[in-house]
Amino acid sequence: KPGEQKHPKEPSSLQCMHLAVVACGDRLEETLIMLKSAVLFSNRRLCFHIFAEDSLKPEFEKKLKEWPSSYTKKFESNIYPITFSVGNAQEWKKLFKPCAAQRLFLPVILKDVDSLLYVDTDVLFLRPIDDIWHMLREFNSTQLAAMAPEHEIPKIGWYSRFARHPYYGTTGVNSGVMLMNLTRIRSTQFKSSMIPGGLTWEEMLYPLYQKYKNYITWGDQDLLNIIFYFNPECLYVFPCQWNYRPDHCMYGSNCRGAEEEGVSILHGNRGVYHDDKQPTFKALYEVIRDFPFEDNLFQSLYYPLQSKFLDTVHTLCGRIPQVFLKQIEKTMKKVYENRVIVYLGANHRY
């Protein structure tokens, strides 16, 4: 439209759903498969914010351009270098995994973005991003971010057994899927153990890291747990099916939400897409990776998935295939219904 800006000022959530990811090292393919799962099922337009090492930038640009136009028109992508606005960049870079701390700086870097969904590279969407995006409306007046618990059962949760620093709630939270109202984060004064008054998000990050760096194991996730321990009213906790990890089934099924509704977002942490420890997770990753974009979803995605799952029934996660299949089946049916309605509607005009 004449005079329309390509990157409108906020509220940009009205124009597009913002999705951020940080990719370093060998995470190119994994990131592209995550983005593919997002585009396959989403209804509204997506804006990708990809933070990547310089060597990966041309690869991302090349691969995303190779996708068919029926999908590339559903998103726009921006690729950014890895940057840290406060403290020592080398220190931040080495925290936990290469570049992982970048996510802590998203509110500072993406100044024109109102709300954002951050995900790790090893995440797969099994339903439209629209559904988690709607949770922003459920935030009360003090909530500015949403995460899922790190574990459902305190006695086998990592934080409740081993953490040497403050953490949120009884089991801590996992930062692999994080929904953020960046406008609120930028304008909030956060409580901490460092000074009696409040600090802005950016002011707080480096002193917090300096104070706790000898006690943290999971890097930036631990820092987020410390922040929300001191500011619990700022966090909205969403159910485990929105960040479903091997921990939810490898010791027996302990995510009730996934049993009832199916997995909404799969998080294959600890490299399970690439080894044989959790074949159910690997099967989902490979089927989405190998799906030819414009093929029939049931024939080329759902049926291969069902048959691959038959080979995993001997594993604890494989014993509950319906947990993995329920939401993706529902989503595919909706995609088809929408296409049929659009197709019939188009034919009725002539």
Side-chain angles (χ1 to χ4, degrees):
K1 288 172 196 169
E4 190 175 60
Q5 284 179 291
K6 194 180 173 210
H7 299 293
K9 291 285 178 194
E10 288 309 309
S12 66
S13 48
L14 300 172
Q15 278 89 15
C16 135
M17 299 181 294
H18 293 269
L19 179 66
V21 64
V22 180
C24 285
D26 58 358
R27 297 301 180 108
L28 176 79
E29 183 196 72
E30 208 173 69
T31 307
L32 287 164
I33 308 309
M34 178 277 288
L35 297 173
K36 182 180 183 180
S37 73
V39 171
L40 276 179
F41 302 131
S42 289
N43 302 316
R44 277 178 44 209
R45 188 169 170 74
L46 291 158
C47 287
F48 294 152
H49 301 276
I50 302 163
F51 290 81
E53 285 175 308
D54 296 343
S55 57
L56 294 180
K57 185 180 177 184
E59 282 296 300
F60 272 115
E61 286 170 346
K62 177 172 163 270
K63 298 281 186 193
L64 290 171
K65 277 188 189 126
E66 287 168 5
W67 289 4
S69 62
S70 56
Y71 286 95
T72 55
K73 69 182 184 198
K74 288 177 72 177
F75 69 89
E76 65 178 63
S77 58
N78 299 289
I79 302 171
Y80 308 82
I82 302 293
T83 50
F84 304 98
S85 62
V86 290
N88 179 324
Q90 286 313 109
E91 254 185 308
W92 283 122
K93 223 167 189 177
K94 285 189 256 173
L95 183 62
F96 187 47
K97 284 185 180 164
C99 313
Q102 180 71 75
R103 84 182 92 177
L104 296 172
F105 294 88
L106 297 177
V108 183
I109 298 165
L110 301 174
K111 286 185 165 60
D112 291 340
V113 177
D114 173 60
S115 295
L116 179 80
L117 178 64
Y118 164 85
V119 294
D120 284 349
T121 59
D122 51 10
V123 153
L124 291 169
F125 294 95
L126 306 188
R127 67 189 284 179
I129 288 191
D130 310 59
D131 297 339
I132 191 168
W133 193 256
H134 290 154
M135 286 189 194
L136 287 162
R137 297 180 197 158
E138 295 174 26
F139 285 14
N140 68 23
S141 60
T142 60
Q143 289 165 338
L144 46 76
M147 288 187 270
E150 172 65 23
H151 217 286
E152 298 303 297
I153 304 165
K155 67 171 186 243
I156 52 174
W158 194 91
Y159 283 104
S160 34
R161 289 187 298 160
F162 304 117
R164 296 186 296 149
H165 59 77
Y167 56 89
Y168 178 88
T170 53
T171 59
V173 280
N174 182 280
S175 59
V177 179
M178 188 172 171
L179 189 61
M180 294 182 272
N181 182 322
L182 300 184
T183 303
R184 284 189 182 179
I185 290 174
R186 286 187 286 263
S187 63
T188 297
Q189 294 279 316
F190 291 88
K191 299 186 289 291
S192 69
S193 57
M194 295 172 294
I195 62 162
L199 291 168
T200 68
W201 184 265
E202 192 176 13
E203 287 168 344
M204 171 176 62
L205 289 177
Y206 195 60
L208 203 63
Y209 166 66
Q210 287 296 332
K211 178 167 183 176
Y212 289 104
K213 65 181 179 184
N214 296 327
Y215 303 98
I216 58 179
T217 305
W218 307 112
D220 49 306
Q221 176 172 295
D222 290 346
L223 289 179
L224 289 163
N225 266 284
I226 294 164
I227 290 168
F228 290 113
Y229 169 83
F230 289 108
N231 301 272
E233 72 287 352
C234 293
L235 192 67
Y236 175 98
V237 179
F238 51 70
C240 47
Q241 66 266 30
W242 292 97
N243 184 350
Y244 190 89
R245 284 158 279 126
D247 285 12
H248 289 119
C249 51
M250 62 196 268
Y251 309 114
S253 182
N254 63 44
C255 174
R256 192 172 293 157
E259 287 170 26
E260 289 164 9
E261 282 183 34
V263 173
S264 295
I265 295 179
L266 193 75
H267 184 180
N269 61 344
R270 303 205 195 102
V272 294
Y273 296 147
H274 314 291
D275 60 28
D276 296 314
K277 289 181 182 152
Q278 299 298 338
T280 324
F281 281 75
K282 190 180 183 183
L284 255 160
Y285 178 79
E286 288 178 347
V287 164
I288 292 174
R289 179 193 68 194
D290 299 340
F291 172 69
F293 266 107
E294 291 179 303
D295 270 25
N296 178 296
L297 278 165
F298 276 99
Q299 274 174 345
S300 304
L301 199 148
Y302 189 69
Y303 298 135
L305 199 51
Q306 279 188 312
S307 61
K308 272 189 180 241
F309 273 11
L310 289 174
D311 301 332
T312 74
V313 289
H314 61 286
T315 67
L316 273 168
C317 293
R319 281 183 206 171
I320 45 172
Q322 71 286 357
V323 163
F324 294 88
L325 291 170
K326 192 181 281 188
Q327 201 52 247
I328 203 166
E329 182 181 7
K330 208 166 147 186
T331 299
M332 283 194 282
K333 280 182 178 155
K334 268 191 198 153
V335 170
Y336 269 113
E337 281 162 16
N338 291 346
R339 280 187 196 163
V340 168
I341 290 162
V342 169
Y343 178 74
L344 288 174
N347 283 350
H348 277 303
R349 285 191 216 126
Y350 303 105

